[in-house]
Amino acid sequence: MVKTKHFDYARSITRTSNSGGMKIISKKEVAKQLGVSLSTVYRMNKAGQLPPPLKTHTGRIRGWFHQSLEEWLSLNGYP
């Protein structure tokens, strides 16, 4: 097994390709999909109204996995 840094590993598993890579949706894209502001995305996350986001080691929100967000949207009546 090849040793890699965590950042490199995270980057490799989130590449979009024909092999089914995972896509990460940014806060800005989530806000656009929901039709709300970035501030509202933060409030919704804090209130537990969104699926858990990916965070950095300092606790900053980096985004959501596309699949988990799509499942959440369909379960909660968003188009």
Side-chain angles (χ1 to χ4, degrees):
M1 184 169 173
V2 178
K3 261 187 161 176
T4 60
K5 293 182 180 179
H6 294 287
F7 183 78
D8 293 337
Y9 175 71
R11 186 177 283 178
S12 71
I13 66 168
T14 57
R15 281 193 188 126
T16 54
S17 67
N18 293 335
S19 63
M22 292 180 267
K23 183 177 179 188
I24 296 176
I25 306 295
S26 69
K27 296 172 286 210
K28 194 174 189 176
E29 291 174 54
V30 171
K32 187 176 179 181
Q33 279 189 334
L34 297 176
V36 298
S37 69
L38 285 174
S39 298
T40 301
V41 170
Y42 283 111
R43 284 193 295 273
M44 289 174 75
N45 182 59
K46 188 174 181 180
Q49 297 173 337
L50 289 173
L54 301 170
K55 293 185 178 183
T56 64
H57 66 283
T58 58
R60 297 185 78 161
I61 296 173
R62 299 312 302 161
W64 286 262
F65 282 120
H66 180 266
Q67 184 177 358
S68 67
L69 187 63
E70 287 298 318
E71 288 172 6
W72 180 86
L73 288 172
S74 66
L75 288 173
N76 290 287
Y78 287 93

